[in-house]
Amino acid sequence: MAFDMSKFGGGRWVKTHPNNVHTHGSLEPVLSILDVRGFALHDLFLVGINDNCGSIVLPTESRAENAAAALEPAYKTRVHLMGRRDGEDVWATDYTRRVLDGTTLSAFITDLTLKDGRQVIKDGRWMH
């Protein structure tokens, strides 16, 4: 039996949508992408600050893999076992928006220079 995603609903900052879909943050663009790409919008918890990065919490590994497939190539994704809750596995698909050249931008830090003077992030991009 899969984890009941409705247990994520009801929080102060959580918005509940039809079909047991819950979101935390301004994530309607991500829901639209999933919908347009054919991912069934039911039984999920979408967590993030904005549509640039976040996680989709899902009750099964196959749904997490399908969510990742729906977001690629616009987003870099990673599917993983998030943990166990109430004796059931809970899976997550982490996503980070890609820019047109395929790289991902830092969602929070736009510029970072180390003490030795090396700039490791410039304009949201990791420097190599």
Side-chain angles (χ1 to χ4, degrees), residues 37-128:
R37 298 292 307 273
F39 181 77
L41 294 179
H42 65 83
D43 301 311
L44 63 89
F45 180 39
L46 184 55
V47 184
I49 296 172
N50 57 42
D51 61 335
N52 289 323
C53 65
S55 295
I56 306 169
V57 181
L58 298 148
T60 64
E61 182 179 16
S62 64
R63 294 249 317 135
E65 293 287 348
N66 290 340
L71 291 174
E72 290 282 348
Y75 291 86
K76 177 182 173 187
T77 61
R78 179 179 73 99
V79 173
H80 60 96
L81 179 62
M82 189 173 144
R84 293 183 61 81
R85 186 166 175 179
D86 298 336
E88 300 290 336
D89 288 345
V90 179
W91 291 84
T93 301
D94 297 340
Y95 61 90
T96 305
R97 183 187 301 275
R98 288 187 172 142
V99 291
L100 291 177
D101 66 3
T103 60
T104 58
L105 303 178
S106 173
F108 302 104
I109 301 171
T110 58
D111 293 291
L112 179 64
T113 303
L114 301 178
K115 286 183 178 181
D116 66 5
R118 284 185 303 136
Q119 188 167 25
V120 292
I121 299 176
K122 180 179 180 181
D123 298 325
R125 297 178 188 270
W126 285 94
M127 307 301 292
H128 297 284

Side-chain angles (χ1 to χ4, degrees), residues 30-41 70:
V30 176
L31 288 176
S32 295
I33 291 168
L34 291 169
D35 188 36
V36 167
R37 298 292 307 273
F39 181 77
L41 294 179

Side-chain angles (χ1 to χ4, degrees), residues 3-15:
F3 180 74
D4 179 11
M5 301 306 289
S6 68
K7 294 181 181 185
F8 288 110
R12 179 178 177 181
W13 305 106
V14 176
K15 182 176 179 183

